[in-house]
Amino acid sequence: MKRYGKLSVIAVLVVLTIGIYYIQPIFTAETKPEFTISEKKGNQELIEDMTIEGYYHENNLFGIGTDLEITPEGTTYYSNQPYQNQLQGSVSANKKMTQLQKKYRSFMRGKNYFLTNFFEDESILAYAEITTNRFSSVTEESEFKIEVLNKKTEEVLSYSVDFPKTTEYVSIYVEDVQVANNKLIVVTNGYASNKDDMQDEQHLYSIDLPNEKIEKDEKIQLDLVDVTGKQVQYVELINEATDIASAKFLVYRVVLEDTQIEMEINQGEQEIAPPVYGLIGVNVETGEQFLIDISKEVGSQGLGDTLPLENMTLYTYKINETSLSIYAYQLDQKELTEVESVALSKTQKKALKEGMTMQINEGLAFFVSSSNASDKDMQIMTFDSRSGELVLEGAIDEKASKSVKRDELGLYGILFQY
């Protein structure tokens, strides 16, 4: 009987596999709409190099969906890209990777397909990875593999450095690479194991280039954030993952769970406890870590939304009763200023609801709806952060043969390509 039971299970799996194989194209090829970015009022040139990242649910019943990128020319679906390109996680990131592979063909050969492993400036192109076993776990043999290309001489410096404390980490990956004071700084995120549980840890390893050794290991100091009565859920580096240029500062967002509220919910309350956020800044050159304490001014929502970085300035916003306040935090001065308070019409305020994605590009603040939105709410707005002037109103237009529900489209990022 057991034998026939197993055969029945196999038969069901075969039927389901074949069914999904034939059903999925119905929900992918036929229902994928074509979206474009359009200017409705203002400077058309501001959207020419703009890319909006999002996610499209092709069929909620089967859980089928795909990430996408929308430009003024049209839509690119990640699911239509080659598998290797999908690993990168961004069409724009793939474009940068392709540029590097064409320009530095020999140096790029055999390296990981993630921009987070690279650093580039006018003089060098650097690469760092941590070797792991086939299960992506750290072993006693794990090490940093470093390669640095001198763009002028075309010479390549290659060496390996033993990874420290290999027995204490279950897994680890490179989150960013920087160069400062003639040292390669490898930013990592991984899980350290102990007898009780696994803890997420973030480190900055400073590797001395001339001497080929780890000079300093700095762990991100999560205790800079007030965790009294709270539990750390996760920590994220908010610097743009596709930017491999030099960054003077790194910014981490610590997401906390209020354990007291969670206890009350478990005792019968139905209200969902919102997360609590904290921000930690890191000076890449000096290694200094500091608390970015701006929650009183911008509120918890302001810390939870997209926080764009431009040069040494961190931006956020707050929606008031009749206006939009744009804030700039100077990381080098550790000062927060309200850059501009913009008066909003009722229509603008409705569009600029909480959950908007914000991006700063050359002093201009771009806002796009980052949640599932209806046709009327699918707005793009751009303000000059220095004068408060509204310089662009735009929309995401749908070019489809048949109507597709807009609540199936979610937006979460803005990029600019030059």
Side-chain angles (χ1 to χ4, degrees):
M1 290 297 293
K2 290 183 179 180
R3 178 185 177 187
Y4 291 111
K6 291 181 179 179
L7 290 175
S8 300
V9 171
I10 293 173
V12 170
L13 289 175
V14 170
V15 171
L16 286 174
T17 302
I18 295 175
I20 292 175
Y21 177 81
Y22 284 103
I23 291 174
Q24 183 165 346
I26 297 176
F27 297 114
T28 55
E30 294 184 6
T31 63
K32 284 183 183 176
E34 183 76 6
F35 298 103
T36 58
I37 302 171
S38 67
E39 168 268 335
K40 302 302 180 184
K41 181 181 179 182
N43 188 351
Q44 165 72 25
E45 295 180 357
L46 296 180
I47 65 170
E48 290 180 355
D49 300 301
M50 186 179 187
T51 298
I52 297 176
E53 299 177 300
Y55 190 88
Y56 180 70
H57 290 275
E58 302 166 34
N59 184 270
N60 292 325
L61 177 63
F62 290 92
I64 299 172
T66 177
D67 290 286
L68 54 77
E69 289 189 359
I70 305 171
T71 69
E73 285 71 42
T75 306
T76 300
Y77 286 91
Y78 291 7
S79 59
N80 295 339
Q81 299 295 302
Y83 176 72
Q84 191 175 22
N85 288 5
Q86 293 184 42
L87 293 177
Q88 187 66 261
S90 167
V91 175
S92 300
N94 281 309
K95 291 178 182 177
K96 177 61 179 178
M97 180 61 70
T98 300
Q99 292 173 2
L100 292 175
Q101 290 172 336
K102 287 182 178 180
K103 192 170 184 178
Y104 308 105
R105 187 177 301 276
S106 178
F107 179 79
M108 296 296 293
R109 188 174 295 117
K111 291 180 171 56
N112 283 346
Y113 202 68
F114 298 99
L115 288 177
T116 51
N117 292 83
F118 291 87
F119 168 87
E120 183 181 29
D121 62 14
E122 295 179 355
S123 303
I124 67 170
L125 176 62
Y127 172 83
E129 71 168 285
I130 301 173
T131 59
T132 57
N133 61 19
R134 60 178 180 173
F135 302 106
S136 300
S137 297
V138 175
T139 69
E140 291 286 355
E141 290 74 36
S142 292
E143 59 185 7
F144 287 106
K145 291 183 64 177
I146 309 295
E147 288 195 23
V148 182
L149 169 68
N150 185 314
K151 291 184 177 181
K152 295 181 180 178
T153 65
E154 297 186 355
E155 294 179 349
V156 178
L157 173 66
S158 301
Y159 59 90
S160 299
V161 178
D162 290 338
F163 182 77
K165 304 177 183 177
T166 54
T167 58
E168 297 181 15
Y169 288 90
V170 176
S171 64
I172 197 166
Y173 63 93
V174 175
E175 200 165 29
D176 193 19
V177 176
Q178 294 292 329
V179 171
N181 305 320
N182 207 28
K183 296 176 180 59
L184 189 75
I185 301 172
V186 184
V187 183
T188 68
N189 195 331
Y191 288 94
S193 61
N194 55 42
K195 294 181 180 179
D196 299 323
D197 57 8
M198 290 172 54
Q199 296 180 334
D200 189 12
E201 287 189 1
Q202 298 73 33
H203 287 253
L204 276 71
Y205 293 95
S206 298
I207 301 176
D208 189 281
L209 291 176
N211 297 319
E212 303 181 7
K213 67 177 183 179
I214 296 177
E215 186 176 85
K216 192 183 298 183
D217 171 9
E218 297 172 297
K219 182 180 176 181
I220 298 302
Q221 303 166 16
L222 299 184
D223 56 358
L224 287 170
V225 177
D226 183 9
V227 296
T228 305
K230 302 176 183 66
Q231 181 177 342
V232 177
Q233 288 186 317
Y234 61 92
V235 182
E236 57 180 337
L237 179 65
I238 69 172
N239 295 64
E240 181 56 58
T242 59
D243 186 1
I244 64 174
S246 177
K248 299 294 183 182
F249 292 88
L250 303 178
V251 177
Y252 286 88
R253 173 161 45 204
V254 183
V255 184
L256 305 167
E257 178 183 48
D258 194 317
T259 54
Q260 182 62 37
I261 295 179
E262 184 68 24
M263 187 185 307
E264 293 175 358
I265 291 175
N266 291 335
Q267 293 175 352
E269 297 288 337
Q270 297 299 319
E271 183 180 355
I272 298 176
V276 181
Y277 303 98
L279 298 177
I280 297 175
V282 182
N283 187 314
V284 175
E285 292 186 354
T286 67
E288 177 195 11
Q289 300 184 33
F290 54 93
L291 176 67
I292 302 174
D293 188 10
I294 58 176
S295 59
K296 292 181 180 179
E297 291 83 359
V298 304
S300 180
Q301 183 66 40
L303 300 183
D305 289 337
T306 305
L307 297 168
L309 277 162
E310 186 172 59
N311 299 324
M312 291 186 289
T313 305
L314 177 73
Y315 290 89
T316 186
Y317 71 96
K318 183 179 180 180
I319 300 175
N320 308 305
E321 289 187 6
T322 59
S323 63
L324 166 72
S325 293
I326 301 174
Y327 292 91
Y329 183 87
Q330 304 297 332
L331 292 162
D332 55 339
Q333 302 296 323
K334 301 175 186 174
E335 293 181 353
L336 178 71
T337 58
E338 184 177 354
V339 180
E340 190 61 48
S341 181
V342 182
L344 298 175
S345 66
K346 291 184 179 179
T347 303
Q348 292 169 348
K349 185 179 178 181
K350 182 180 179 182
L352 286 172
K353 57 188 177 182
E354 291 187 354
M356 296 289 290
T357 290
M358 178 186 184
Q359 183 60 281
I360 296 291
N361 186 50
E362 298 182 353
L364 299 179
F366 291 79
F367 291 88
V368 175
S369 175
S370 62
S371 59
N372 294 337
S374 63
D375 291 353
K376 293 182 180 180
D377 292 334
M378 191 62 70
Q379 297 278 343
I380 301 170
M381 292 186 188
T382 306
F383 298 90
D384 189 322
S385 64
R386 295 150 294 200
S387 66
E389 178 187 2
L390 178 64
V391 295
L392 172 74
E393 285 186 330
I396 296 178
D397 297 321
E398 179 186 335
K399 299 172 62 178
S401 56
K402 57 182 179 180
S403 178
V404 179
K405 292 181 181 179
R406 277 291 184 91
D407 60 8
E408 294 176 348
L409 175 67
L411 307 175
Y412 55 74
I414 308 171
L415 301 173
F416 290 91
Q417 303 295 320
Y418 296 101

